[in-house]
């Protein structure tokens, strides 16, 4: 099979990029009054404006041609049909099956997984309603008032991001807390104000072997037993979400308190499954279903819409254009909605863990730039922090601006001020301001010639900084589900275009393996001489200071 760089469209895009690097978006807008109409997509509850990118109709035609030459449509069909497209782990990739509202049978290894999904959803519904209505009691006969979700990575970040984003939809019948850090300070802080008799722990781990999660779970178990004085209390206070029932049972969790996970769902794409149990409990099952409905709506859009008018495809193509062909090395995610304050971190994990790779499907080293590093912050906070870098640095950072027309917390004047900044920033990043404009402005303000000569160069903004604008009608379970699914499919498309295995994460494993070895050395006060000199001396210093502190 041809490498991506041998494709005709790739070679044409490389030449086209040399030409487009000399273009300024401000001039492109001046030349084409229909630019927004050409480069925007409107769905019932979300609008994508991608006109503020260094693109023309030729650019988008070549990018779409690239997607076709990469057999994107065929790969899309393979994913939805349950083929084992996760080649390095020999697994299907079917997080979409978790929210499939058509209830179409999907075969994996000869059985219909849609039946398992329906069964688990029914289990989530019954369990979440039992907790919310007080039918599930703790060891002392009192109702559960607090959920503590113990997990890390996808088992934590997805549910936490969603419950934070949809906080206004919670009736606070049950409060939810999250513990992911193995630093004991976090679990101690979470547990300090809680009463064991009112707490339910959800331990989420696909393998039920993750070091951080299991250590936190054991600490929680000791905390519970110290209060209840009874090992049988575990049955009322511990739930597991895992693909490894045996390990969960060995830990002490009753089999009927275990929710299934499957190897065809990656952790960072798993909030739609029983990993989302905290969402259903905190927000109510109906809101959890609306989240699924919003994602399914985008699944249908992604499956059945032409590539040239397909939001996830367009976002992936633009990311590749800006990074691989124009040389951008990072991308900012900038939500202008307080409820989305964890979205940047969530998408950082989703994209960088998926596509932060340097070999192709065949294990060959990739010679072209792949995906950018992802980072970001709430828009207004970022404006007073790193937007200076976005506007005037030599490094061009494409950015996704994400906002909503209507606030979920309407306070007079606030949303208008917020959104005026939202719209102004993308305009400023695109247009910039040249020295002639700066000087004219300073003259109009009565500044002296010496002051103008001194300051004018510092106030110049080159502009031509690419942005996408995603504007939702309002943050809701449905629109949030849609937004997350858009980025999930964007990540899939990027992987296909770049020939990257998006659904493994071998880069996570090396450090974890070394950590296990070092942990044993620290416990036994026996540092291995085979470490490099830096690591060995750091470990010896750690042990020395720790020993002195005990004296």
């Amino acid at each position: 099979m041809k490498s991506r760089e041998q494709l005709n469209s790739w070679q044409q895009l490389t030449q086209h990029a040399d030409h487009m690097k000399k273009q300024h978006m401000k001039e492109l807008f001046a030349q084409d009054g229909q630019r927004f109409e050409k480069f925007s997509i409107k769905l019932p509850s979300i609008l994508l404006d991608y006109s503020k990118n260094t693109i023309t109709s030729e650019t988008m035609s070549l990018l779409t041609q690239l997607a076709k030459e990469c057999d994107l449509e065929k790969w899309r069909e393979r994913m939805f049909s349950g083929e084992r497209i996760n080649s390095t782990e020999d697994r299907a990739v079917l997080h979409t099956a978790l929210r499939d509202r058509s209830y179409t049978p999907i075969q994996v290894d000869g059985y219909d997984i849609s039946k398992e999904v329906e069964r688990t959803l029914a289990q989530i519904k019954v369990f979440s309603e039992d907790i919310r209505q007080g039918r599930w009691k703790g060891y002392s006969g009192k109702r559960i008032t607090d959920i503590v979700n113990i997990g890390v990575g996808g088992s934590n970040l997805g549910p936490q991001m969603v419950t934070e984003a949809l906080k206004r939809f919670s009736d606070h019948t049950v409060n939810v807390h999250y513990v992911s850090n193995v630093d004991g300070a976090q679990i101690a802080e979470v547990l300090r104000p809680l009463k064991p008799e009112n707490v339910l722990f959800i331990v989420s781990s696909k393998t039920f072997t993750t070091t951080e999660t299991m250590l936190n779970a054991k600490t929680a178990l000791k905390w519970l037993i110290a209060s209840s004085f009874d090992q049988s209390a575990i049955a009322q206070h511990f739930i597991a979400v895992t693909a490894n029932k045996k390990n969960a049972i060995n830990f002490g969790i009753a089999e009927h308190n275990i929710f299934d996970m499957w190897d065809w769902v990656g952790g960072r794409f798993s909030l739609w499954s029983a990993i989302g149990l905290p969402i259903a409990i905190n927000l109510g099952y109906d809101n959890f279903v609306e989240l699924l409905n919003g994602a399914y709506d985008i699944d249908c859009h992604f499956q059945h819409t032409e590539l040239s008018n397909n939001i996830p495809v367009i976002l992936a193509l633009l990311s590749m254009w800006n990074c691989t062909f124009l040389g951008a090395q990072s991308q900012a995610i900038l939500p202008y909605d307080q409820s989305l304050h964890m979205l940047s971190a969530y998408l950082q994990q989703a994209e960088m863990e998926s596509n932060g790779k340097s070999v192709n499907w065949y294990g060959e080293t990739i010679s072209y730039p792949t995906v950018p590093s992802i980072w970001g912050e709430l828009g207004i906070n970022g404006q007073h922090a790193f937007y200076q870098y976005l506007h005037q640095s030599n490094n061009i950072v494409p950015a996704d601006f994400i906002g909503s027309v209507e606030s979920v917390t309407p306070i007079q004047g606030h949303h208008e001020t917020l959104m005026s900044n939202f719209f102004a920033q993308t305009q400023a990043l695109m247009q910039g301001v040249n020295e002639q404009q700066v000087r004219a402005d300073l003259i109009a303000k009565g500044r002296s010639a010496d002051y103008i000569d001194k300051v004018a160069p510092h106030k110049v903004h080159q502009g031509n900084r690419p942005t996408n604008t995603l504007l939702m009608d309002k943050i809701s379970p449905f629109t949030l589900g849609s937004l997350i699914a858009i980025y999930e499919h964007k990540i899939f498309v990027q992987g296909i275009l770049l020939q990257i295995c998006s659904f493994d994460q071998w880069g996570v494993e090396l450090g974890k393996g070394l950590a296990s070895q070092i942990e044993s050395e620290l416990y036994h006060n026996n540092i291995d001489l085979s470490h490099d000199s830096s690591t060995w001396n750091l470990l010896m210093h750690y042990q020395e200071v720790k020993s002195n502190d005990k004296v």
Side-chain angles (χ1 to χ4, degrees), residues 180-209:
S180 59
N181 199 338
V182 74
D183 186 336
Q186 186 184 35
I187 192 167
E189 187 65 24
V190 168
L191 296 181
R192 185 174 292 113
L194 304 181
K195 296 179 180 179
E197 59 188 343
N198 301 118
V199 176
L200 179 75
F201 293 98
I202 301 174
V203 184
S204 294
S205 173
K206 196 170 184 179
T207 62
F208 229 73
T209 59

Side-chain angles (χ1 to χ4, degrees), residues 73-87 89-98 100 104-114 117 262-265 303 492 503:
E73 290 155 310
K74 185 178 292 183
W75 279 100
R76 180 179 60 187
E77 182 182 340
R78 293 181 67 191
M79 179 179 75
F80 277 93
S81 66
E83 288 192 38
R84 294 175 178 270
I85 65 168
N86 179 353
S87 58
E89 296 177 315
D90 193 29
R91 294 172 179 172
V93 177
L94 280 171
H95 48 277
T96 53
L98 300 170
D100 182 6
T104 303
I106 302 172
Q107 298 291 320
V108 174
D109 295 334
Y111 65 90
D112 180 6
I113 65 165
S114 65
V117 172
W262 305 279
D263 66 5
W264 40 264
V265 179
Q303 274 188 284
F492 163 76
F503 300 101

Side-chain angles (χ1 to χ4, degrees), residues 41 43 45-48 95-96 99 269 272 294-299 301-302 310-316 346-347 350-351 400 402 468-472 478-494:
I41 301 171
L43 299 184
S45 59
I46 192 165
L47 165 71
L48 168 65
H95 48 277
T96 53
R99 67 247 187 161
F269 304 102
W272 323 99
Y296 175 65
D297 190 60
I298 293 299
D299 293 345
H301 167 76
F302 177 56
N310 192 307
I311 289 181
V313 173
I314 294 297
L315 287 176
Y346 174 77
L347 294 179
E351 185 162 329
D400 286 359
I402 302 167
N468 298 308
T469 298
L470 284 155
L471 189 58
M472 292 171 284
F478 186 92
T479 57
L480 181 63
S482 296
L483 182 67
I484 297 168
I486 283 171
Y487 279 98
E488 286 183 344
H489 292 315
K490 174 204 169 189
I491 289 164
F492 163 76
V493 174
Q494 284 173 302

Side-chain angles (χ1 to χ4, degrees), residues 303-319:
Q303 274 188 284
H304 305 301
T305 305
E306 285 292 324
L307 301 184
S308 60
N309 204 40
N310 192 307
I311 289 181
V313 173
I314 294 297
L315 287 176
L317 290 171
L318 290 171
S319 176

Side-chain angles (χ1 to χ4, degrees), residues 193-351:
L194 304 181
K195 296 179 180 179
E197 59 188 343
N198 301 118
V199 176
L200 179 75
F201 293 98
I202 301 174
V203 184
S204 294
S205 173
K206 196 170 184 179
T207 62
F208 229 73
T209 59
T210 307
T211 302
E212 302 92 332
T213 299
M214 300 321 299
L215 183 56
N216 280 323
K218 289 173 184 175
T219 298
L221 190 65
K222 291 175 184 176
W223 181 76
L224 174 70
I225 300 302
S227 171
S228 66
F229 303 106
D230 190 350
Q231 197 81 10
S232 66
I234 299 172
Q236 282 78 46
H237 294 271
F238 271 83
I239 299 294
V241 182
T242 184
N244 193 332
K245 282 188 176 181
K246 181 180 178 181
N247 280 9
I249 292 169
N250 289 340
F251 180 84
I253 297 177
E255 186 170 1
H256 60 269
N257 285 357
I258 299 174
F259 288 73
D260 284 329
M261 272 286 289
W262 305 279
D263 66 5
W264 40 264
V265 179
R268 55 194 174 277
F269 304 102
S270 64
L271 68 86
W272 323 99
S273 70
I275 292 292
L277 191 57
I279 302 171
I281 294 172
N282 184 243
L283 304 178
Y285 182 75
D286 289 346
N287 280 321
F288 181 65
V289 169
E290 273 299 285
L291 187 78
L292 303 182
N293 288 340
Y296 175 65
D297 190 60
I298 293 299
D299 293 345
C300 294
H301 167 76
F302 177 56
Q303 274 188 284
H304 305 301
T305 305
E306 285 292 324
L307 301 184
S308 60
N309 204 40
N310 192 307
I311 289 181
V313 173
I314 294 297
L315 287 176
L317 290 171
L318 290 171
S319 176
M320 190 170 182
W321 170 244
N322 287 322
C323 177
T324 306
F325 293 100
L326 296 183
Q329 295 182 344
S330 70
Q331 178 173 355
I333 304 294
L334 307 172
Y336 276 70
D337 195 305
Q338 180 64 33
S339 62
L340 297 178
H341 70 96
M342 291 191 67
L343 181 65
S344 300
Y346 174 77
L347 294 179
Q348 183 180 63
Q349 184 211 11
E351 185 162 329

